[in-house]
Every structure is written in C-alpha cells, then in structure tokens.
Amino acid sequence: MNVWNTEPTVPSTEKDKFITDTSEVGLNNTTYYFNVYDTPLGHRWIEALKDNLKKQRILEKNFCFLGWADSKRDLRYLCAELNQNIEQINSFDFHPPYERIDPFVTDDFQYSAKLKTGPCEYGDEMSKPGLRLKHEACNLLHRFFEDLQGTAWKISEFYKQADYKTKYSIRQLNNLCHEIENWVLSNRKSVIDPDWIRPSQITTFLKAPRHDLHDVDFDLFKKNRYDRELGGVYLHWSQVGKTLYEVFRDEHAPKMTDALCSEINHQKYYSGEFDIDWGQTITEQTHGFKKEEMDLYRAWLKSNDYDWEDPRLSLGYIKIGQVDLVRTFGSNVPYKKIYETMCQNLNISSIKILSDTTVECDYPYSLDNKDWKKMQMEFLK
C-alpha cells in the first residue's frame, strides 16, 4: 500500500444519532470538532466533561499527544524527563523505605536500529527486533508506579505520605511509561510502514472525578470491540492496571499466572476524559491482519477461561463519539494532509462545548512555558 494514500478519510459511521452538544477543541492554529453518540453513557460523559471545564481542572499537556514520531518529545527527551522524576522519588524519605529506582537509558526501551528491522509474521516479532519496544523496562516502570501510587480504589501508603513534588513525580512514572511505549511503536512504524503509524490524543485532567460505569454501558465494549477509526473519540482508561488485551499483546499471549492476573483490571469507571485516534482506520471487518490478531486473541482468552461474550470483562474500547473530519479538514482530504496539519498543532489552547449554554475553558500555557510543572504541582495540593 502506498504510504500516503489519497483515498477519502471519512470513517465508517455509527447508526446512533448524536446528542445536540458539539465539542470544539482549539489548537495552535486550527480547531477540530467532535460529536458524542446519543447513548445513556454519552449524556453522562458530556456532563462529566462539562464539569472538568467549569472547575478549570488542569489539562495534562505533558500527557496528551502520544505516538507522534516527529514530535520533539522523542525517546532521549522522555528518558531525561523520566530520570528527573526518578531522582525526586529516590530523594524522598519513605517509611518504610522504598527500593531505589535506577535511572533509565534509551537502550532500555528500544532495540537498536542496527538489528534486523522490518515486517514479520504475527508471533514471530523477534526475528526482526530492530527498533522494537523492550517491554521488560516498561513493565518494570509500571510496577514501580503501581507500588507507589496504588489503585483508584486503594491508594498506596507510599503515595499518601509523599509530598506534592513526589506525588507529581510518581504520577509521571505512568505518564512517561505510556508516552515512551507509544513513541517507540510509532518511531518503528515511521521507518518500516508509515501508513500505519498510530498517533493519538489522550485528554486528561488533574483530579478529574471517576464515576462507576452503569450496567447498560458494558454492552458498548461489545459493540465496538477493538476497532479504531480515524477521528474516533474513545472512553479514557481512568484506572491503574493492565487490560487483558494489553497482556495478550505485550507479553505475546502468555499462559496466565497469579502474577499476571494480579496486574489485570477490567474497566469499570468513566470520567470526563477522552482519547482520540489520529491514525488511519483499522477494523476487524476490513483488515485481514486485524482479523488474524483478534482470532488469536479470542483463542487465548478461551484457553485461559475468559468468555469473549462477557460484557463485564470490558473487552474492547467504548467509542463515545467521532471527530467531524469534513467540517474540520474539508472533503476528501488525504490522510497525509490530516497528519501534517495535526503535527503542526500539538497543543490544546481551549475546549468548548456548544449547546444551549456554552461551557468552555482556555489553556493558554504550553510546554514551552517554564512554570507548567509548578502549575500542575500546585493543583495537586
């Protein structure tokens, strides 16, 4: 397939109608719009987003645009940020003491480009390891984070006693771990298969309240499953832990052990936060490689006594809305143009919800401001 195809970029559409509210997200020099599906969860979710805007909760701009291989937040930059936060954590006097965390280097997270690099059959990834992600370092980093912060329903004693600088640094272990994972994956794709780079936007707010999903919401996991659409707006994962799909994918379909089971959490919360997929549409129905992966995944679930049809396992991503690509970028715009436009605008300056009464919040600061970290730490107090 040509790297930058010129086919129309409008994704397949849901049969659901949209609620009347329209969300407008201002970037540096452009604006995009998205609509939310008319479901019970959609109505509750948009109210939660309005609450985040009304309360002017801090938007985490340092954990927002992930998987953009051309971003200046490359692996070297991210490792330097990570090590600054590790230094802060190591300097805090925990009782009882927590183990010392050694600093990381770029080679801990990514295999050398000098190794054999390129596409390979699913399950045979290490026949061409060049530029691939080293999951072991990410798993270790995530273990440090879970030890130090705990879960949404049981905060760690380490986190409770930490001062605000250390609390902030503990949070960054998780943020930077995921940003590193996404950058490495996209960096490799940009070299071997740029058409399938997976840039995304993670829109989170400090101290955003979590709410329990309702019984009716869980069927939405089954409706979308693991399809990802260009401009799709998805429910944010607002808890600590790994999903079954992440364990399957990252650990290469392992036999489940007590240790692995302890890492797994099934999504049960929503917040007024959201993710947007800015990569090209991939669905099981239209892409053979995705169908192959899902068949292997379903077989792995069955072998480990998990029921694919059990909605409480949260097997999928809940798609809560869709970016209006035509209104935002124009008709029949090739993906390359959308990608290039977004690459030049990786900073959210405002979010508005346009309805009978407009709700909005401006975010005038950027990561180029010297005091953005101090601003976040102050809000955590």
Side-chain angles (χ1 to χ4, degrees):
M1 181 182 289
N2 189 294
V3 167
W4 298 116
N5 68 70
T6 57
E7 294 299 312
T9 54
V10 178
S12 59
T13 56
E14 293 266 347
K15 296 185 184 300
D16 303 284
K17 64 179 181 179
F18 294 115
I19 64 177
T20 56
D21 296 354
T22 296
S23 296
E24 175 188 300
V25 180
L27 306 176
N28 284 338
N29 297 299
T30 192
T31 299
Y32 70 82
Y33 304 87
F34 70 84
N35 298 297
V36 175
Y37 295 126
D38 187 5
T39 64
L41 176 59
H43 285 271
R44 282 182 273 114
W45 179 84
I46 199 72
E47 291 303 316
L49 175 57
K50 288 178 181 179
D51 183 65
N52 285 330
L53 303 184
K54 291 176 182 177
K55 300 290 177 57
Q56 298 184 331
R57 296 188 175 102
I58 297 293
L59 176 68
E60 287 194 283
K61 292 194 176 188
N62 56 310
F63 184 59
C64 191
F65 291 98
L66 274 60
W68 300 82
D70 300 320
S71 168
K72 65 182 181 181
R73 291 175 67 89
D74 60 11
L75 187 55
R76 188 179 300 276
Y77 176 95
L78 295 173
C79 278
E81 285 286 302
L82 175 62
N83 288 333
Q84 287 180 20
N85 287 288
I86 287 174
E87 184 177 0
Q88 173 61 38
I89 293 168
N90 285 338
S91 70
F92 189 79
D93 187 19
F94 290 107
H95 298 285
Y98 187 71
E99 63 181 282
R100 176 178 173 77
I101 304 175
D102 291 328
F104 288 84
V105 296
T106 57
D107 286 347
D108 290 329
F109 295 105
Q110 187 175 35
Y111 287 98
S112 170
K114 296 179 181 179
L115 298 173
K116 194 172 182 180
T117 303
C120 57
E121 294 295 322
Y122 187 84
D124 191 32
E125 289 83 1
M126 293 314 294
S127 65
K128 296 178 181 178
L131 295 177
R132 288 191 183 276
L133 177 69
K134 294 182 178 179
H135 290 286
E136 295 80 3
C138 294
N139 290 340
L140 179 61
L141 187 53
H142 206 269
R143 197 257 299 171
F144 291 144
F145 169 69
E146 291 189 355
D147 286 350
L148 289 165
Q149 177 157 309
T151 64
W153 48 91
K154 188 177 179 181
I155 297 297
S156 165
E157 292 300 319
F158 292 116
Y159 192 78
K160 290 178 182 178
Q161 64 185 272
D163 60 21
Y164 290 106
K165 283 187 177 181
T166 307
K167 280 184 167 71
Y168 173 83
S169 290
I170 290 171
R171 186 178 180 89
Q172 299 320 301
L173 295 184
N174 183 57
N175 290 354
L176 289 165
C177 178
H178 289 295
E179 189 170 0
I180 286 168
E181 288 174 330
N182 280 271
W183 187 89
V184 171
L185 293 171
S186 287
N187 174 250
R188 178 177 173 273
K189 284 291 186 183
S190 72
V191 173
I192 69 164
D193 198 2
D195 204 30
W196 298 113
I197 193 172
R198 303 308 303 171
S200 63
Q201 175 189 323
I202 312 298
T203 316
T204 59
F205 303 89
L206 292 179
K207 294 187 177 180
R210 298 180 182 90
H211 312 276
D212 290 331
L213 288 170
H214 294 195
D215 289 343
V216 69
D217 301 334
F218 287 92
D219 282 333
L220 295 174
F221 288 106
K222 296 174 65 175
K223 184 173 185 178
N224 183 74
R225 292 300 191 183
Y226 293 94
D227 290 349
R228 302 292 284 192
E229 292 189 278
L230 172 60
V233 184
Y234 299 90
L235 192 68
H236 179 65
W237 170 265
S238 55
Q239 57 198 69
V240 176
K242 281 193 168 187
T243 66
L244 283 163
Y245 182 53
E246 288 172 328
V247 170
F248 165 80
R249 185 184 58 194
D250 297 348
E251 307 298 333
H252 308 294
K255 181 63 181 176
M256 295 301 290
T257 63
D258 290 342
L260 281 174
C261 286
S262 68
E263 296 179 4
I264 294 170
N265 282 311
H266 312 305
Q267 189 164 8
K268 59 182 182 179
Y269 297 117
Y270 73 94
S271 58
E273 301 171 301
F274 59 97
D275 302 343
I276 296 182
D277 202 306
W278 291 110
Q280 297 207 69
T281 296
I282 298 178
T283 73
E284 185 175 352
Q285 290 70 34
T286 58
H287 295 83
F289 67 87
K290 187 64 176 179
K291 175 68 163 59
E292 179 184 0
E293 182 195 37
M294 288 293 101
D295 285 342
L296 291 170
Y297 179 47
R298 283 185 283 267
W300 176 77
L301 288 170
K302 185 176 181 179
S303 70
N304 286 285
D305 298 322
Y306 291 107
D307 182 0
W308 172 252
E309 297 299 332
D310 183 354
R312 288 286 176 170
L313 294 180
S314 308
L315 298 176
Y317 308 115
I318 292 182
K319 188 168 188 254
I320 55 175
Q322 174 64 43
V323 172
D324 188 335
L325 297 172
V326 174
R327 181 181 180 184
T328 301
F329 300 103
S331 300
N332 299 321
V333 176
Y335 176 65
K336 180 182 179 181
K337 181 65 174 178
I338 293 177
Y339 178 82
E340 290 177 345
T341 298
M342 290 301 301
C343 277
Q344 299 302 314
N345 289 280
L346 300 181
N347 177 60
I348 295 175
S349 58
S350 66
I351 300 177
K352 297 181 183 179
I353 300 174
L354 308 174
S355 58
D356 292 338
T357 302
T358 297
V359 178
E360 62 183 299
C361 188
D362 292 330
Y363 305 98
Y365 61 94
S366 75
L367 298 185
D368 293 326
N369 293 110
K370 294 181 179 180
D371 61 346
W372 68 266
K373 291 182 181 179
K374 181 180 179 181
M375 186 187 306
Q376 290 192 2
M377 290 180 202
E378 287 295 319
F379 195 81
L380 284 173
K381 291 183 178 179

